[in-house]
Amino acid sequence: MRGFYSNGAASGDVAFAHSTAEVEHPVLQGMWGAVEVVVDTIVCSSTALVILTTGVLDTGLTGTALTTAAFSAFFHNAWYGALFVGSIIALFAFTTAMVCAYYGEVCVMYLIKNERISRHVTVIYRCLICVAAVIGSVASLEFLWSFTDFALAFCMFTCLFTLFMCRKKISELTGEYVGTLTRDRVR
């Protein structure tokens, strides 16, 4: 169920990263976005395979404790397993938090065109992000997952609506790109 959160498919946030890429055609960058989801699926599947093959699934553990036990069994060393999982979680959590904060800041700057006002609102936004980090560190896990589910559902519905509204342009661009590939292959 939580695999969605690892790649952000359909949430619309990855468009920020892909929009900065310099490519010959926008459909090509969209294809890279699809590859990104496939690579993430391979990583998540590898974690699942470690859990299934190390025999820790029946221990009653869940979440991070289960993953740590699996990698500890995989490495035949509890310390290495905990270090590996802890490092990965710290890396992913930090980068995810920073990227989400940056995406929000980009949205604030885009929505508020006046540079002076935008600068002040950006400072307020950064303060709110710091407050949210503190709340997130002390709030219950159930509340955090519920809030995340709600927020991402909102993002997904917004993204799906936008895709629906842009469907003709997407179809035109995809047809143009496929036509370009076909012409290049004939040459």
Side-chain angles (χ1 to χ4, degrees), residues 22-140:
E22 294 182 25
V23 292
E24 293 178 21
H25 200 281
V27 172
L28 178 62
Q29 193 59 33
M31 298 295 184
W32 278 114
V35 168
E36 191 177 285
V37 173
V38 171
V39 170
D40 183 73
T41 301
I42 292 168
V43 171
C44 290
S45 297
S46 299
T47 302
L49 286 172
V50 169
I51 291 170
L52 292 171
T53 58
T54 54
V56 299
L57 189 59
D58 297 329
T59 60
L61 297 172
T62 60
T64 306
L66 176 64
T67 305
T68 302
F71 278 100
S72 294
F74 176 78
F75 290 125
H76 302 290
N77 185 310
W79 191 83
Y80 288 153
L83 179 66
F84 178 76
V85 173
S87 300
I88 296 299
I89 288 173
L91 177 68
F92 288 168
F94 179 74
T95 56
T96 300
M98 296 308 296
V99 166
C100 288
Y102 171 72
Y103 288 168
E105 193 171 307
V106 168
C107 289
V108 167
M109 291 188 307
Y110 178 80
L111 292 172
I112 302 172
K113 302 294 185 191
N114 184 309
E115 188 177 327
R116 189 176 67 79
I117 295 172
S118 176
R119 222 180 8 246
H120 293 299
V121 173
T122 300
V123 170
I124 293 168
Y125 173 78
R126 289 176 181 171
C127 291
L128 289 173
I129 289 295
C130 292
V131 169
V134 171
I135 292 171
S137 67
V138 297
S140 74

Side-chain angles (χ1 to χ4, degrees), residues 24-25 172-187:
E24 293 178 21
H25 200 281
E172 289 172 14
L173 287 170
T174 304
E176 176 186 301
Y177 182 71
V178 169
T180 303
L181 289 178
T182 306
R183 281 193 305 277
D184 289 347
R185 194 174 293 156
V186 171
R187 291 181 193 174

